[in-house]
């Protein structure tokens, strides 16, 4: 696919970027982590439409905005370690956007908006490392179609975010947010607490106002869990809505990329740009002809009025989660929704079949990806050997999942095929049958328990996790801020049937408007 502004930006354009890179107002302290008002307005609360309006009126340039985020990364990211690398062409991309704004021909609502990509997404300038020292970032790679779509829309790629190495599919004792390349990402709300999920760097970076939007990926929970635990919005799209080509895989049966932001409208705008067919990803050929192209245009404050929402409380595991869910139920009722308590069936059987199926899919899909990345371990077996010989890779935890995947049956094996069919079918039935039985529009559930302490001995202690039904089904799921346990955020999720991304975005926006719960992190070192 061609880009309106190619990746190889000329020296002239880079010089132009330097020329227009006006300094930030001297009265602004971008080094204060608790103060994101880096441009004379509150960047933490500003939405993409707010920023575009300022750029349209000559009150802000993309170069200024990009510099503000880069300066904030300098000031803040030493506390949370969420940004693994920077795009050396970010300011040139911003300058190109400013030229388009000046000429009155912007490419999209994302034109000039700084975005971070999870470092399992390839670009020519920054090939993915997946957090592993086995994938040198200097090796050539094609730009993933989802990143090409952002570039064509004029988004400024700031750089890459840290992640749980190999998308948290290496060890049964892993600690979310750690990678051999990026070290440990910390939760910006309480620094010794965990940021959750493989998109941990994306969630923490957005929470700390280090970019307007970040792109995460999910196989099961790795967008919505870091969104909930880091008090941001995270949308896991319907599988097939966004291309997976050029993204380091776990499983083509469940993987998808999706947006993470501080506001639902920003998530909706970004999803509109990300989605689209890709000939190299067969799942995208199933996108309906009438799928909305502008999700932000469909957001409205009264979207919950007259709806029927099932509530999967998952109660009894955490008193703070129970309280936040009950508060959310009261918000739904006050907004005119009918609320019905539900309990989703088949969950134990889904879990028993999902993991062994993922083992087979991981080996198959990862080996296929590695054939396009020469000059490094070329198979899962070679990665296992690399890790054994590396001084850092196994320093925190092992590679038990790698080793299990290496021994998993082939994708032609009848047992594997039955496991995948069972996991997918029952996950879809668990949602579809519940929606039909109670005549529901969507299901709401708690996204997460409060963040646990990062601990390399015990690994993750995730607690409540409601992502599996939508993840294994390939259905849309969105998490939004809903409350706190002390200083630790708790989110709620809305999910529903396939391709109904517009519906859950609309419900999430209406909920956000009625009960805004997000607050900026304070980077507390620890709590009792």
């Amino acid at each position: 696919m061609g880009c309106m502004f190619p990746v190889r930006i000329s020296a002239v354009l880079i010089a132009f970027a330097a020329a227009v890179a006006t300094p930030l107002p001297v009265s602004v302290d971008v080094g204060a982590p608790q103060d994101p008002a880096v441009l004379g307005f509150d960047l933490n609360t500003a939405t993409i439409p707010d920023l575009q309006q300022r750029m349209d009126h000559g009150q802000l340039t993309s170069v200024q905005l990009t510099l503000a985020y880069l300066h904030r990364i300098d000031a803040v990211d030493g506390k949370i370690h969420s940004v693994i690398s920077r795009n050396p062409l970010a300011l040139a991309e911003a300058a190109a956007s400013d030229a388009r704004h000046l000429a009155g021909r912007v490419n999209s609502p994302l034109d000039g908006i700084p975005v971070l990509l999870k470092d399992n997404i390839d670009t020519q300038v920054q090939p993915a490392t997946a957090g592993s020292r086995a994938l040198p970032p200097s090796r050539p790679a094609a730009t993933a179609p989802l990143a090409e779509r952002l570039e064509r829309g004029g988004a400024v790629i700031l750089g890459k975010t840290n992640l749980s190495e190999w998308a948290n599919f290496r060890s049964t004792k892993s600690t979310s947010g750690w990678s051999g390349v990026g070290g440990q990402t910390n939760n910006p709300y309480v620094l010794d607490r965990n940021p959750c999920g493989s998109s941990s760097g994306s969630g923490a970076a957005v929470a700390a106002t280090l970019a307007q939007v970040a792109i995460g990926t999910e196989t099961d929970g790795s967008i919505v869990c870091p969104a909930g635990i880091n008090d941001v919005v995270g949308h896991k799209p319907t599988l097939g809505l966004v291309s997976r080509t050029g993204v380091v895989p776990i499983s083509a049966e469940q993987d998808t990329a999706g947006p993470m932001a501080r506001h639902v409208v920003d998530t909706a705008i970004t999803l509109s740009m990300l989605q689209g067919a890709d000939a190299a990803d067969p799942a995208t050929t199933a996108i309906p002809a009438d799928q909305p192209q502008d999700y932000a245009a469909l957001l409205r404050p009264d979207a919950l009025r007259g709806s029927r929402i099932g509530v999967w409380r998952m109660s009894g595991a955490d008193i703070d989660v129970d309280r936040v869910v009950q508060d959310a139920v009261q918000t739904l009722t006050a907004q005119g929704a009918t609320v019905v308590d539900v309990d989703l069936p088949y969950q134990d059987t889904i879990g028993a079949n999902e993991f062994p199926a993922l083992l087979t899919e991981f080996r198959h899909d990862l080996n296929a990806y590695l054939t396009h990345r020469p000059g490094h371990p070329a198979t899962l077996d070679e990665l296992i050997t690399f890790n054994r010989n590396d001084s850092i890779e196994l320093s925190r935890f092992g590679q038990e999942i790698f080793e299990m995947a290496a021994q998993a049956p082939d994708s032609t094996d009848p047992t594997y095929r039955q496991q995948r069919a069972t996991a997918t079918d029952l996950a879809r039935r668990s949602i579809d049958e519940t929606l039909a039985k109670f005549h529901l529009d969507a299901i709401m559930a708690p996204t997460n328990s409060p963040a646990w302490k990062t601990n390399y001995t015990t690994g993750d202690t995730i607690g409540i996790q409601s992502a599996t039904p939508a993840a294994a089904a390939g259905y849309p799921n969105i998490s939004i801020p809903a409350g706190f346990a002390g200083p630790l955020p708790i989110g709620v999720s809305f999910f529903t049937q396939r391709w109904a991304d517009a519906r859950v975005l609309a419900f999430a926006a209406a909920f956000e408007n009625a009960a805004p719960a997000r607050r900026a992190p304070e980077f507390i070192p620890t709590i009792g």
Side-chain angles (χ1 to χ4, degrees), residues 244-260:
R244 285 87 53 84
T245 304
V247 181
V248 182
I250 291 178
S251 164
E253 300 295 328
Q254 292 186 203
D255 291 352
T256 184
M260 305 175 76

Side-chain angles (χ1 to χ4, degrees), residues 155-474:
V156 175
I157 307 301
L158 274 183
K160 297 293 197 71
T161 57
N162 196 23
L163 68 159
S164 305
E165 186 175 305
W166 297 110
N168 224 7
F169 208 71
R170 199 194 82 182
S171 172
T172 56
K173 299 277 189 176
S174 67
T175 300
S176 290
W178 184 89
S179 75
V181 175
Q184 179 65 52
T185 297
N186 300 320
N187 189 306
Y189 286 84
V190 180
L191 296 173
D192 66 355
R193 299 294 174 125
N194 198 266
C196 191
S198 72
S199 302
S200 45
S202 296
V206 169
T209 319
L210 306 187
Q212 193 68 23
V213 177
I215 308 303
T217 66
E218 174 166 326
T219 305
D220 189 340
S222 283
I223 288 175
V224 293
C225 186
I229 270 183
N230 291 284
D231 209 32
V232 300
V233 181
H235 182 78
K236 185 204 80 72
T238 296
L239 189 144
L241 195 59
V242 178
S243 167
R244 285 87 53 84
T245 304
V247 181
V248 182
I250 291 178
S251 164
E253 300 295 328
Q254 292 186 203
D255 291 352
T256 184
M260 305 175 76
R262 291 181 294 279
H263 315 280
V264 176
V265 65
D266 291 2
T267 308
I269 288 169
T270 306
L271 181 62
S272 300
M273 184 58 57
L274 291 175
Q275 76 174 23
D278 167 24
D281 183 352
T284 65
T285 63
I287 299 174
D290 62 350
Q291 188 72 12
Q293 299 300 303
D294 184 354
Y295 295 103
L298 302 177
L299 305 181
R300 63 184 200 278
D302 64 345
L304 287 164
R305 187 165 305 281
S307 66
R308 290 179 60 85
I309 307 295
V311 177
W312 187 25
R313 291 179 183 263
M314 310 181 79
S315 57
D318 187 288
I319 189 171
D320 289 304
V321 172
D322 292 348
R323 170 182 50 79
V324 169
V325 170
Q326 182 56 34
D327 290 345
V329 167
Q330 293 175 358
T331 296
L332 296 178
T333 303
Q335 292 302 299
T338 299
V339 174
V340 182
D341 280 356
V342 300
D343 191 15
L344 271 63
Y346 315 126
Q347 297 309 303
D348 290 343
T349 307
I350 295 167
N353 285 273
E354 179 193 27
F355 181 69
L358 290 175
L359 291 173
T360 289
E361 292 154 3
F362 178 64
R363 186 183 68 197
H364 176 274
D365 294 349
L366 181 61
N367 285 347
Y369 169 84
L370 290 173
T371 63
H372 301 288
R373 293 290 302 275
H376 57 75
T379 66
L380 176 58
D381 288 335
E382 292 181 16
L383 285 172
I384 290 171
T385 300
F386 177 94
N387 289 341
R388 288 173 180 159
N389 295 327
D390 188 81
S391 61
I392 292 176
E393 286 295 344
L394 302 184
S395 62
R396 295 297 193 183
F397 43 80
Q399 54 181 344
E400 301 89 354
I401 293 177
F402 267 23
E403 291 163 350
M404 285 188 281
Q407 301 301 316
D410 292 335
S411 57
T412 57
D413 180 78
T415 299
Y416 155 71
R417 289 181 177 272
Q418 183 60 47
Q419 289 166 338
R420 169 46 61 194
T422 299
T424 301
D425 178 62
L426 290 184
R428 290 178 176 178
R429 286 178 57 188
S430 73
I431 297 172
D432 293 341
E433 291 174 6
T434 303
L435 293 173
K437 179 179 179 180
F438 297 102
H439 308 287
L440 303 175
D441 297 295
I443 297 165
M444 186 189 78
T447 305
N448 61 286
S449 298
W452 58 94
K453 279 191 176 182
T454 295
N455 186 313
Y456 299 114
T457 300
T458 61
D460 287 341
T461 52
I462 292 174
I464 289 173
Q465 209 270 79
S466 62
T468 295

